[in-house]
Structures are given as C-alpha cells and as structure tokens.
Amino acid sequence: MIRFLLKRLIGLLFVVVGVTLITFFMGHFAPGDPIRVLLGDHPNAVLEAQLKHQYGLDLPLYQQYLNYMGHLIRLDFGLSFRSINRPVWDILKDGIPVSLELGLWGLFLQLLLGIPLGVASALRANTWVDTFNMGLALVLYAIPVFIFGVLFQLLIIWMDKQTGLRWPVTQWGTPWQYTWQDIQYKLAPILVYTAAGMAYYARLARTSMLEVLRQDYIRTARAKGLLENAIVYRHAFRNALIPLVTVIGVSIGFLVTGAFFTEKIFNLPGIANLTLEAIDSLDYPVLQATTVMLACSVVLGNLISDILYTVVDPRIRAE
C-alpha cells in the first residue's frame, strides 16, 4: 500500500507540472495585456515598465516559468495582477472556506439521499416506487443548475410574500457557523447544489444494484435460504458500491471548485466569483492557482477512490 501511495503521489507531481505548464503558457499567449488592463484608460509607459519588472514579466518566458515553479514549491502562488502587491493566496483564502463548506454539505446530502433512493428503486424495480423515484431523479438531473437555482430563488421570494419570513436568496453567512440566520443563508444553495448530484447518484446506484442482484451468486444465496437483508446489504450492496466509489472520488476532487453555477446564482463569496473576476481582469496568477488546486484535488480524489476500492473489495487489495 505504501508503494502504491508513493506511485500515486509521484503521478500527482507530473500532473501538477503538466497543468502548470499548460496554464502558464496559455495565459501568456492569450490576447490582452494584464498590466495595461490594470492601468485602465490612462496608460503610463514608465509605470507600465515598473509593474512589468515588479511582476517579472520583462524576463524571458522560460525564466518566468521557472520562477513560478520555484514559488509554487513553497506554496506561493505569486502576486495578483488585479490587486497590486496582494498575494494570490490572500485572495483565495477567503473564498475556499465557502466553496469547501458548500461542496462538503452538498456531497454529504447527495450520498445520504441519492444512494438509498437508488437502492430502494432497484429492490422494487418496475413498480410505482421505482417509477416515481427515477422520474423525480430524471427531472432533477435534466434541469440545468442555473435554471433550477433561479426557480428555487423565485419560490423563496413567493414564500416570503405569503408568509413574511423574509428568507434570504443570496449570500452565505459566516462559514462553518450554524446559527438560525446562517442556516437561512446556506440552506438554499446547498439544496440546489445537492439536487442534480443526488439524482445522478440515485440513477447510478439503481443501475449498479440491479446488475449485482442479477448475478448467479445472489441467486445461490437466496437458494441457500439466507435472509433477504443479509443478501442485499452484505453481499449485493457492497459489490454495487464499486462504480459509486469511482464517482465519489471525482466528486471529492471537485469539492472546492465544482459549484461555479450555484455560487454565481446565489452570489456566494467563493472560488467561483474570484475566478470569474480574474478572467475579466486577466488576473492570470489567480486563474493558475485555481487550476492547480483543481488538478491536485482531482488527483487526490482519485487516490481516495483507489484506497476505498480496497475497503469495498478485498480482491483489489490482494492484487
């Protein structure tokens, strides 16, 4: 296992180097000059030269990349183009807790609601329970997040008019605090983020569970007279988890950067707004930082999936 983890971590390094190489050169060859955008409508040649020297943009391109990688090894993402002399990490550290909290609660509810819904549908396949569950899942999965979020906001506004509760439809509240006021802010974005993912997990769990229930060893277990609960949850469900573990690993990888539409619709001060602002202002250091974070989180999510495989199926651990 230690050798396996070391191989994965070495692979992580290659992925990070590849991602930084691509994003760095794409940013520098993209149209537009971030320094001129920063100066606005009144360019100043002397100030422009000073800023380029300050950010190291007057160096050869390979030297700029080596300097960037040298800072990245020390977990230093450099300075923002948009906010002069402000470190990129100082910008991102305010948005990461919001995005991470939204992602964690959303993933938790997706698993808590979606997997049992799919298992229940598989156990009652082709009945009204299955039809209702999968019909609901299909509707939730088919509606785009940016439309479902707006509809949810309109529903909240309508309820506010009917009840006078004045439930908020934007912002987030204080990260990792759960007073009644904070819950009011957080509940709607979490539910919107949960909806599509829950539907996907429900459909995947149903398909995987049905495939396992049709296997010969399940028929043999029933022929031996084992209790149905033991057959379903001890034998069938454990094997049905393998495809789900793959998707869970990817979902973990997107916890911080996977809710762009939800954050934008509810105007949350998370990574999404910071990234979109960076795109508008050609703030390449911020874009590079979020891309590197996404690449690292996806690789780590896949690593977690590989570890969970060994827990679900001992045969994989033996191999």
Side-chain angles (χ1 to χ4, degrees):
M1 179 60 73
I2 294 176
R3 185 172 61 182
F4 169 77
L5 293 176
L6 288 176
K7 287 182 179 179
R8 285 294 185 176
L9 290 175
I10 293 173
L12 170 62
L13 294 178
F14 282 106
V15 170
V16 172
V17 171
V19 169
T20 57
L21 190 65
I22 293 172
T23 56
F24 181 85
F25 284 100
M26 285 183 64
H28 279 74
F29 287 115
D33 188 336
I35 300 301
R36 292 186 178 180
V37 172
L38 181 64
L39 293 174
D41 297 330
H42 304 286
N44 184 304
V46 176
L47 183 57
E48 181 179 347
Q50 290 177 348
L51 288 174
K52 285 188 174 182
H53 179 72
Q54 178 180 342
Y55 286 105
L57 298 178
D58 54 349
L59 297 173
L61 200 55
Y62 75 91
Q63 186 64 50
Q64 293 183 42
Y65 179 72
L66 292 177
N67 291 341
Y68 173 72
M69 291 300 296
H71 288 290
L72 189 61
I73 293 173
R74 301 191 298 270
L75 299 180
D76 179 8
F77 293 106
L79 299 176
S80 168
F81 289 162
R82 183 169 181 265
S83 304
I84 300 179
N85 291 329
R86 186 179 181 188
V88 171
W89 177 250
D90 188 47
I91 297 174
L92 295 179
K93 71 178 182 180
D94 296 329
I96 289 176
V98 175
S99 298
L100 184 60
E101 187 179 13
L102 172 62
L104 283 174
W105 277 111
L107 179 60
F108 173 74
L109 291 178
Q110 288 170 7
L111 300 177
L112 181 67
L113 301 175
I115 294 178
L117 197 69
V119 172
S121 294
L123 296 177
R124 297 168 178 80
N126 301 320
T127 66
W128 70 268
V129 175
D130 182 27
T131 302
F132 176 79
N133 289 346
M134 290 301 101
L136 176 63
L138 181 61
V139 170
L140 292 176
Y141 189 69
I143 300 177
V145 175
F146 53 87
I147 293 179
F148 185 72
V150 172
L151 292 176
F152 204 89
Q153 286 178 321
L154 292 175
L155 176 62
I156 294 174
I157 293 172
W158 178 82
M159 291 178 61
D160 285 346
K161 291 182 178 180
Q162 300 299 319
T163 62
L165 290 176
R166 304 186 66 81
W167 199 283
V169 294
T170 58
Q171 293 300 317
W172 182 249
T174 305
W176 307 108
Q177 290 189 16
Y178 300 101
T179 63
W180 174 240
Q181 185 177 8
D182 288 312
I183 292 174
Q184 285 181 310
Y185 280 108
K186 297 175 182 180
L187 187 59
I190 290 175
L191 291 178
V192 169
Y193 180 67
T194 299
M198 179 200 72
Y200 180 75
Y201 278 111
R203 293 174 62 82
L204 182 61
R206 177 186 182 274
T207 302
S208 181
M209 194 70 177
L210 279 176
E211 183 178 350
V212 173
L213 289 173
R214 292 166 182 161
Q215 298 296 318
D216 291 337
Y217 70 89
I218 297 296
R219 297 192 189 97
T220 303
R222 283 173 173 156
K224 288 182 177 180
L226 292 181
L227 295 176
E228 186 67 18
N229 285 340
I231 295 172
V232 170
Y233 297 106
R234 186 179 302 174
H235 300 285
F237 181 64
R238 186 168 183 175
N239 287 305
L241 277 176
I242 295 177
L244 292 168
V245 165
T246 303
V247 180
I248 291 171
V250 176
S251 299
I252 292 174
F254 282 92
L255 280 179
V256 175
T257 57
F260 266 52
F261 285 121
T262 304
E263 290 187 21
K264 189 62 179 177
I265 291 168
F266 289 93
N267 195 27
L268 306 185
I271 294 297
N273 277 331
L274 295 175
T275 303
L276 294 174
E277 290 175 359
I279 294 173
D280 290 337
S281 59
L282 304 181
D283 197 349
Y284 297 129
V286 174
L287 292 176
Q288 290 167 349
T290 55
T291 306
V292 170
M293 287 172 52
L294 175 60
C296 292
S297 59
V298 169
V299 173
L300 290 175
N302 289 331
L303 177 61
I304 292 172
S305 291
D306 292 334
I307 295 173
L308 290 177
Y309 286 146
T310 64
V311 177
V312 173
D313 191 344
R315 294 172 300 177
I316 300 176
R317 181 169 61 249
E319 294 175 0

